[in-house]
Amino acid sequence: MKNSSDISIFVYYYKNNIFPVRQSIYRPVMAGNVLQERPNNFTGDDTGDSISEKNKYYSELTGIYWAWKNTSYSIIGSCHYRRFFIKEEPLLYKTARIFYFFAGMYRNRYGLIYSKRINYFSGNILSESDILRIMNNYDAIFPIRRILKNSVKEHYCRHHHAEDLDLMKKIIQKKYPDYLPAFDQTLNSNRLYANNMYILKKEDHNRLMTWLFCLLFEFEIRIDKSEYKGYQQRVFGFLSERLLTTWVLHNKLRIKELPVIYFKSLKYI
């Protein structure tokens, strides 16, 4: 399951769509494949050691878990079918940020580019050589941290179940008490590594995954999932973003933050 370069960036899907990246290191994976009603053209996350059946609650994390347990690469990454790391923000979009600031959109657009132009941006998506160059000097690549209007804690409590954070704090206290200061720092800050996107070296990736799923599985045992409806069912994906930020802060990794392109539609224009 290895590319010749020993680098793989997994791109997680939840429905059939086109694949916008023509680079061999990018590998599409259907997250929640066991729940799909129709066959699809992508590798599924339902072989080997898998939690594919939990996709309704774990979102792309079922694919992330599958990649961790069933593949082995020296450098491994996570992207979404419409979100990819890019090398730099084009000058036109940097200039547009002046407008975003005065329009009150600066926080929502910070580090994130919305576009329909796949052909225009395809050459700016991180290549194998870009990744190798960056990873020679950094431990990891993450998205530019999102800037929230309020603290991470206030933001979560406003949009999700507030008691989730209290329960997760108790679990961290029990399982990994040395991470509590970083967890509190994350919640009190207004900066967040969003979208469960990253590129990591194998050793760090294994450490992160072991830590992350230990906490999430314990959380799952302690809640009644039937109380989470609709959008809120993706609770583990929401928590994971806060936990990834906590893990990075605690381990003091050398992080290269890069902008993310968000393709609003997958058409070659």
Side-chain angles (χ1 to χ4, degrees), residues 221-269:
I221 291 171
R222 297 196 189 192
I223 64 169
D224 180 356
K225 288 187 289 187
S226 67
E227 295 181 357
Y228 294 78
K229 307 294 184 182
Y231 178 65
Q232 299 304 330
Q233 287 181 319
R234 296 157 55 186
V235 55
F236 298 97
F238 302 139
L239 286 172
S240 178
E241 293 174 305
R242 281 76 188 169
L243 293 174
L244 285 179
T245 305
T246 297
W247 188 84
V248 169
L249 289 175
H250 175 82
N251 288 282
K252 297 180 170 56
L253 298 185
R254 297 171 299 163
I255 301 296
K256 177 66 174 178
E257 296 186 3
L258 291 177
V260 168
I261 178 69
Y262 190 145
F263 292 121
K264 296 172 71 174
S265 65
L266 290 180
K267 298 179 181 178
Y268 288 108
I269 59 175

Side-chain angles (χ1 to χ4, degrees), residues 165-189 211 215 242-243 245-247 249-252:
L165 297 179
D166 294 331
L167 176 55
M168 182 54 71
K169 185 168 184 175
K170 292 177 182 178
I171 294 171
I172 293 174
Q173 173 73 62
K174 175 184 176 182
K175 298 284 188 178
Y176 299 98
D178 53 326
Y179 277 82
L180 275 178
F183 186 67
D184 287 336
Q185 182 181 348
T186 296
L187 296 188
N188 292 328
S189 170
W211 179 85
L215 295 175
R242 281 76 188 169
L243 293 174
T245 305
T246 297
W247 188 84
L249 289 175
H250 175 82
N251 288 282
K252 297 180 170 56

Side-chain angles (χ1 to χ4, degrees), residues 61-117:
L61 290 172
T62 64
I64 288 173
Y65 180 90
W66 175 86
W68 170 43
K69 289 293 189 178
N70 298 283
T71 69
S72 180
Y73 293 92
S74 295
I75 296 175
I76 187 169
S78 165
C79 288
H80 294 224
Y81 75 109
R82 290 196 295 174
R83 299 186 186 99
F84 296 86
F85 291 107
I86 58 174
K87 290 177 276 191
E88 59 183 357
E89 189 175 30
L91 179 60
L92 175 64
Y93 287 83
K94 289 181 180 178
T95 305
R97 296 211 174 277
I98 299 173
F99 167 77
Y100 295 154
F101 180 82
F102 289 106
M105 301 165 57
Y106 183 75
R107 291 188 184 90
N108 292 338
R109 296 297 182 100
Y110 187 69
L112 188 62
I113 299 171
Y114 292 91
S115 179
K116 296 180 180 179
R117 305 169 67 188

Side-chain angles (χ1 to χ4, degrees), residues 155-166:
H155 182 272
Y156 192 96
C157 291
R158 180 172 300 191
H159 297 283
H160 310 294
H161 293 192
E163 58 270 22
D164 293 345
L165 297 179
D166 294 331

Side-chain angles (χ1 to χ4, degrees), residues 30-47:
M30 186 64 68
N33 194 57
V34 74
L35 304 176
Q36 295 290 320
E37 295 181 359
R38 299 178 181 177
N40 57 73
N41 299 321
F42 300 147
T43 298
D45 67 347
D46 54 343
T47 60

Side-chain angles (χ1 to χ4, degrees), residues 145-158:
R145 280 175 291 177
R146 183 177 174 185
I147 300 177
L148 304 178
K149 183 177 181 180
N150 305 111
S151 71
V152 171
K153 182 175 183 178
E154 290 174 293
H155 182 272
Y156 192 96
C157 291
R158 180 172 300 191

